[in-house]
Coordinates of all heavy atoms in Angstrom, one line a residue:
V556 N 28.5 -15.7 -4.8 CA 27.8 -15.6 -6.0 C 26.4 -16.3 -5.9 O 25.4 -15.8 -6.3 CB 28.6 -16.1 -7.2 CG1 27.8 -16.2 -8.4 CG2 29.8 -15.1 -7.5
Y557 N 26.5 -17.5 -5.4 CA 25.2 -18.3 -5.2 C 24.2 -17.6 -4.3 O 23.0 -17.5 -4.6 CB 25.6 -19.7 -4.7 CG 26.0 -20.7 -5.7 CD1 27.3 -21.2 -5.7 CD2 25.2 -21.2 -6.7 CE1 27.8 -22.1 -6.7 CE2 25.6 -22.1 -7.6 CZ 26.9 -22.5 -7.6 OH 27.3 -23.4 -8.6
L558 N 24.7 -17.1 -3.2 CA 23.8 -16.4 -2.3 C 23.3 -15.1 -2.9 O 22.1 -14.7 -2.7 CB 24.5 -16.1 -1.0 CG 25.0 -17.4 -0.2 CD1 25.7 -17.0 1.1 CD2 23.8 -18.3 0.1
G559 N 24.1 -14.4 -3.6 CA 23.6 -13.2 -4.3 C 22.6 -13.5 -5.3 O 21.7 -12.7 -5.6
L560 N 22.7 -14.7 -6.0 CA 21.7 -15.1 -7.0 C 20.3 -15.3 -6.3 O 19.3 -14.8 -6.8 CB 22.1 -16.4 -7.6 CG 21.1 -17.0 -8.6 CD1 20.9 -16.1 -9.8 CD2 21.6 -18.4 -9.0
I561 N 20.3 -15.9 -5.1 CA 19.0 -16.0 -4.4 C 18.5 -14.7 -4.0 O 17.2 -14.4 -4.2 CB 19.3 -16.8 -3.1 CG1 19.7 -18.3 -3.5 CG2 18.0 -16.9 -2.2 CD1 20.0 -19.1 -2.2
D562 N 19.3 -13.7 -3.6 CA 18.8 -12.4 -3.2 C 18.2 -11.7 -4.4 O 17.1 -11.1 -4.3 CB 20.0 -11.6 -2.7 CG 19.6 -10.3 -2.1 OD1 18.5 -10.2 -1.4 OD2 20.3 -9.3 -2.3
I563 N 18.8 -11.8 -5.6 CA 18.3 -11.1 -6.8 C 17.0 -11.8 -7.2 O 16.0 -11.1 -7.6 CB 19.4 -11.1 -7.9 CG1 20.6 -10.3 -7.5 CG2 18.8 -10.6 -9.2 CD1 21.8 -10.4 -8.4
L564 N 16.9 -13.1 -7.2 CA 15.7 -13.8 -7.6 C 14.5 -13.5 -6.7 O 13.4 -13.3 -7.1 CB 15.9 -15.3 -7.6 CG 16.8 -15.8 -8.8 CD1 17.0 -17.3 -8.7 CD2 16.3 -15.4 -10.1
L565 N 14.8 -13.3 -5.4 CA 13.8 -13.0 -4.4 C 13.1 -11.6 -4.7 O 11.9 -11.4 -4.8 CB 14.3 -13.0 -3.0 CG 14.6 -14.3 -2.3 CD1 15.4 -14.1 -1.1 CD2 13.4 -15.1 -2.1
A566 N 14.0 -10.6 -5.0 CA 13.5 -9.3 -5.4 C 12.7 -9.3 -6.7 O 11.7 -8.7 -6.8 CB 14.7 -8.3 -5.5
Y567 N 13.2 -10.1 -7.7 CA 12.5 -10.2 -8.9 C 11.1 -10.9 -8.7 O 10.1 -10.4 -9.3 CB 13.3 -11.0 -9.9 CG 12.7 -11.3 -11.2 CD1 12.5 -10.2 -12.2 CD2 12.1 -12.5 -11.6 CE1 11.9 -10.4 -13.4 CE2 11.5 -12.7 -12.8 CZ 11.4 -11.7 -13.7 OH 10.7 -11.9 -14.9
C568 N 11.0 -11.9 -7.9 CA 9.8 -12.6 -7.7 C 8.8 -11.7 -7.0 O 7.6 -11.7 -7.3 CB 10.0 -13.9 -6.9 SG 10.8 -15.2 -7.7
Y569 N 9.2 -10.8 -6.1 CA 8.4 -9.8 -5.4 C 7.8 -8.9 -6.5 O 6.6 -8.5 -6.5 CB 9.1 -9.1 -4.3 CG 8.3 -8.0 -3.7 CD1 7.5 -8.2 -2.6 CD2 8.3 -6.7 -4.3 CE1 6.8 -7.2 -2.0 CE2 7.6 -5.7 -3.7 CZ 6.8 -5.9 -2.6 OH 6.1 -4.9 -2.1
E570 N 8.7 -8.4 -7.3 CA 8.3 -7.4 -8.4 C 7.2 -8.0 -9.3 O 6.2 -7.4 -9.6 CB 9.5 -7.0 -9.2 CG 9.3 -6.5 -10.6 CD 8.4 -5.3 -10.6 OE1 8.4 -4.5 -9.6 OE2 7.9 -5.0 -11.7
I571 N 7.4 -9.3 -9.7 CA 6.4 -9.9 -10.6 C 5.1 -10.1 -9.9 O 4.0 -9.9 -10.5 CB 7.0 -11.3 -11.1 CG1 8.2 -11.0 -12.0 CG2 5.9 -12.0 -11.9 CD1 7.9 -10.2 -13.3
C572 N 5.1 -10.4 -8.6 CA 3.9 -10.7 -7.9 C 3.1 -9.4 -7.7 O 1.9 -9.4 -7.9 CB 4.2 -11.3 -6.5 SG 2.8 -11.7 -5.5
V573 N 3.7 -8.3 -7.2 CA 3.0 -7.1 -6.8 C 2.5 -6.4 -8.1 O 1.5 -5.7 -8.0 CB 3.8 -6.2 -6.0 CG1 4.1 -6.8 -4.7 CG2 5.1 -5.7 -6.7
N574 N 3.2 -6.5 -9.2 CA 2.7 -5.9 -10.5 C 2.0 -6.9 -11.4 O 1.7 -6.5 -12.5 CB 3.9 -5.3 -11.2 CG 4.4 -4.0 -10.5 OD1 3.6 -3.3 -9.9 ND2 5.7 -3.9 -10.5
E575 N 1.8 -8.1 -10.9 CA 1.0 -9.1 -11.6 C 1.6 -9.3 -13.0 O 0.9 -9.4 -14.0 CB -0.4 -8.7 -11.7 CG -1.1 -8.7 -10.3 CD -2.5 -8.2 -10.4 OE1 -2.8 -7.3 -11.1 OE2 -3.3 -8.9 -9.7
G576 N 2.9 -9.3 -13.1 CA 3.6 -9.6 -14.4 C 3.7 -8.4 -15.3 O 4.4 -8.6 -16.4
D577 N 3.2 -7.3 -15.0 CA 3.3 -6.1 -15.9 C 4.5 -5.3 -15.4 O 4.7 -5.0 -14.3 CB 2.0 -5.3 -15.8 CG 0.8 -6.0 -16.3 OD1 1.0 -6.9 -17.2 OD2 -0.3 -5.7 -15.9
R578 N 5.2 -4.8 -16.4 CA 6.4 -4.0 -16.1 C 6.0 -2.5 -16.1 O 5.2 -2.1 -16.9 CB 7.4 -4.2 -17.2 CG 8.8 -3.6 -16.9 CD 9.7 -3.9 -18.1 NE 9.8 -5.4 -18.4 CZ 10.3 -5.9 -19.4 NH1 10.8 -5.1 -20.4 NH2 10.4 -7.2 -19.6
N579 N 6.5 -1.8 -15.1 CA 6.2 -0.3 -15.1 C 7.5 0.4 -14.7 O 8.5 -0.1 -14.6 CB 5.1 -0.1 -14.1 CG 5.4 -0.6 -12.7 OD1 6.5 -0.6 -12.3 ND2 4.3 -1.1 -12.0
V580 N 7.3 1.7 -14.5 CA 8.5 2.6 -14.2 C 9.1 2.3 -12.8 O 10.3 2.6 -12.6 CB 8.1 4.1 -14.3 CG1 7.7 4.4 -15.7 CG2 7.0 4.3 -13.3
E581 N 8.4 1.6 -12.0 CA 8.9 1.3 -10.6 C 9.6 -0.1 -10.6 O 10.1 -0.5 -9.5 CB 7.8 1.3 -9.6 CG 7.2 2.7 -9.4 CD 8.2 3.7 -8.9 OE1 9.0 3.3 -8.1 OE2 8.1 4.9 -9.2
S582 N 9.5 -0.8 -11.7 CA 10.1 -2.2 -11.6 C 11.6 -2.2 -11.3 O 12.0 -3.0 -10.5 CB 9.8 -2.9 -13.0 OG 8.4 -3.0 -13.2
S583 N 12.3 -1.3 -12.0 CA 13.7 -1.3 -11.7 C 14.0 -0.9 -10.3 O 14.9 -1.5 -9.6 CB 14.4 -0.3 -12.7 OG 15.7 0.0 -12.4
W584 N 13.2 0.1 -9.8 CA 13.5 0.5 -8.4 C 13.2 -0.6 -7.4 O 13.9 -0.9 -6.4 CB 12.6 1.7 -8.1 CG 12.8 2.3 -6.7 CD1 13.7 3.3 -6.4 CD2 12.2 2.0 -5.5 NE1 13.6 3.6 -5.1 CE2 12.7 2.8 -4.5 CE3 11.2 1.0 -5.2 CZ2 12.3 2.7 -3.2 CZ3 10.8 0.9 -3.9 CH2 11.3 1.8 -2.9
N585 N 12.1 -1.3 -7.6 CA 11.7 -2.4 -6.7 C 12.8 -3.5 -6.6 O 13.2 -4.0 -5.6 CB 10.4 -3.1 -7.2 CG 9.2 -2.3 -6.8 OD1 9.2 -1.5 -5.9 ND2 8.1 -2.5 -7.5
I586 N 13.3 -3.9 -7.8 CA 14.3 -5.0 -7.8 C 15.6 -4.6 -7.1 O 16.1 -5.3 -6.2 CB 14.6 -5.5 -9.3 CG1 13.3 -6.0 -9.9 CG2 15.7 -6.5 -9.3 CD1 13.5 -6.3 -11.4
R587 N 16.1 -3.4 -7.5 CA 17.4 -3.1 -6.9 C 17.3 -2.6 -5.4 O 18.2 -2.7 -4.7 CB 18.1 -2.0 -7.7 CG 17.4 -0.6 -7.7 CD 18.3 0.4 -8.5 NE 17.8 1.7 -8.5 CZ 17.1 2.3 -9.4 NH1 16.7 1.6 -10.4 NH2 16.7 3.6 -9.2
K588 N 16.1 -2.1 -5.1 CA 15.9 -1.6 -3.7 C 15.7 -2.8 -2.7 O 16.2 -2.7 -1.6 CB 14.7 -0.7 -3.6 CG 14.7 0.2 -2.4 CD 15.8 1.3 -2.5 CE 15.7 2.2 -1.3 NZ 16.8 3.3 -1.4
L589 N 15.1 -3.8 -3.2 CA 14.8 -5.0 -2.3 C 16.0 -6.0 -2.2 O 16.0 -6.8 -1.3 CB 13.6 -5.7 -2.8 CG 12.3 -4.9 -2.7 CD1 11.1 -5.8 -3.2 CD2 12.0 -4.4 -1.4
S590 N 16.9 -5.9 -3.1 CA 18.1 -6.7 -3.1 C 19.3 -5.9 -2.5 O 19.8 -5.0 -3.1 CB 18.4 -7.1 -4.6 OG 19.7 -7.8 -4.6
A591 N 19.7 -6.4 -1.3 CA 20.9 -5.8 -0.7 C 22.1 -6.0 -1.5 O 23.1 -5.2 -1.4 CB 21.0 -6.3 0.7

Side-chain angles (χ1 to χ4, degrees):
V556 168
Y557 278 112
L558 298 180
L560 176 66
I561 295 177
D562 186 41
I563 295 172
L564 290 178
L565 287 170
Y567 176 75
C568 291
Y569 174 91
E570 154 64 21
I571 294 298
C572 181
V573 296
N574 288 323
E575 298 177 314
D577 294 332
R578 191 181 304 167
N579 56 34
V580 294
E581 296 296 329
S582 298
S583 173
W584 186 90
N585 281 337
I586 297 173
R587 69 175 187 263
K588 200 71 174 180
L589 298 182
S590 172

